[in-house]
């Protein structure tokens, strides 16, 4: 079967039913005719736009990790901390498991995700397959559910509201940067990266 023929087909990941691919309109979602699972979403972002979005997310990510996330005040004394300051404090307070999870889900996994997607898109914009394509795509599949910036932002906001009972609490720029980062990650996480597989098949053909 030719590469062009393969590109015209879709296989449901839930029941393995083969479908013929067709052009989608804005807001449309492709569904499996047998089990109803989602096959693909329509998206209008091209590789250049996606790459710009990932670069923007990376810049915001750097700012979110450099800027303080919260300032606590008590009896005229104030103390602020960054994300890594909080992680180090948890480690020193014998909460090593929590500190490792926080570092992984809030720093390392998002960083790997942005760098990996950026690497793939850099070549995709030239209609080329990136070196290491398959292991990178597999890595993105497994770390996808573990990028938890949105959980951190919600948890931090709840903690700030509750801490106001005991302290003078000020939300610093870092927490706002993480909120923006959450929006950006959500946008490019919804784009169907499986389109890159089709581009790879074309490149190999």
């Amino acid at each position: 079967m030719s590469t062009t023929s393969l590109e015209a087909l879709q296989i449901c990941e839930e029941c393995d039913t083969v479908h013929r691919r067709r052009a989608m309109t804005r807001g449309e979602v492709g569904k499996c005719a047998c089990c109803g699972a989602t096959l693909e979403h329509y998206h209008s972002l091209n590789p250049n736009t996606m790459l710009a979005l990932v670069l923007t997310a990376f810049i915001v990510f750097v700012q979110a990790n450099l800027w303080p996330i919260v300032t606590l005040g008590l009896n005229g004394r104030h103390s602020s901390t960054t994300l890594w300051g909080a992680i180090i404090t948890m480690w020193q307070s014998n909460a090593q498991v929590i500190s490792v999870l926080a570092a992984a889900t809030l720093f390392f996994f998002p960083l790997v995700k942005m760098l990996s997607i950026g690497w793939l898109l850099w070549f995709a914009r030239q209609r080329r397959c990136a070196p290491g394509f398959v292991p990178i795509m597999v890595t993105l599949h497994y770390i996808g559910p573990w990028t938890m910036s949105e959980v951190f932002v919600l948890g931090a906001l709840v903690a700030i509201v509750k801490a106001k009972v005991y302290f003078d609490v000020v939300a610093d720029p870092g927490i706002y940067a993480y909120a923006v980062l959450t929006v950006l990650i959500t946008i490019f996480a919804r784009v169907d990266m499986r389109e890159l597989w089709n581009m790879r098949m074309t490149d190999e053909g």
Side-chain angles (χ1 to χ4, degrees):
M1 184 178 293
S2 67
T3 300
T4 304
S5 299
L6 288 173
E7 287 181 2
L9 301 178
Q10 282 182 311
I11 300 177
C12 177
E13 296 180 356
E14 300 295 330
C15 66
D16 296 330
T17 301
V18 180
H19 302 76
R20 186 171 297 279
R21 185 187 297 272
R22 64 178 179 82
M24 301 180 66
T25 58
R26 181 177 296 275
E28 188 177 4
V29 179
K31 296 285 187 178
C32 176
C34 291
C35 68
T38 299
L39 295 175
E40 64 176 331
H41 296 270
Y42 170 85
H43 66 86
S44 58
L45 298 179
N46 57 44
N48 287 324
T49 305
M50 281 292 297
L51 183 59
L53 191 63
V54 172
L55 290 176
T56 302
F58 180 76
I59 294 173
V60 175
F61 176 79
V62 172
Q63 294 172 327
N65 282 274
L66 291 178
W67 292 342
I69 55 177
V70 67
T71 296
L72 298 179
L74 181 64
N75 296 327
R77 301 181 61 182
H78 294 83
S79 177
S80 60
T81 185
T82 62
L83 172 66
W84 277 101
I87 291 174
I88 293 172
T89 299
M90 287 188 290
W91 180 274
Q92 294 174 342
S93 301
N94 297 321
Q96 286 86 357
V97 174
I98 298 177
S99 65
V100 169
L101 287 175
T105 57
L106 298 176
F107 183 83
F108 292 108
F109 289 165
L111 179 61
V112 170
K113 186 171 186 176
M114 287 184 289
L115 293 178
S116 298
I117 294 178
W119 176 257
L120 296 176
L121 291 172
W122 177 260
F123 288 89
R125 62 195 291 269
Q126 307 170 40
R127 302 298 299 179
R128 295 169 54 199
C129 181
F133 180 90
V134 173
I136 291 175
M137 290 292 284
V138 172
T139 300
L140 286 172
H141 173 74
Y142 283 108
I143 70 172
W146 292 97
T147 51
M148 299 185 177
S149 300
E150 67 278 6
V151 177
F152 168 70
V153 172
L154 291 175
L157 292 177
V158 171
I160 288 172
V161 171
K162 291 188 175 182
K164 281 184 174 292
V165 178
Y166 308 100
F167 305 98
D168 296 325
V169 183
V170 177
D172 286 329
I175 193 66
Y176 296 112
Y178 256 106
V180 174
L181 178 64
T182 297
V183 174
L184 293 173
I185 289 179
T186 301
I187 292 174
F188 66 73
R190 289 181 60 86
V191 174
D192 194 352
M193 297 298 291
R194 288 174 294 186
E195 291 296 323
L196 294 176
W197 285 103
N198 299 328
M199 195 174 298
R200 172 176 179 265
M201 293 169 62
T202 302
D203 183 67
E204 291 180 347

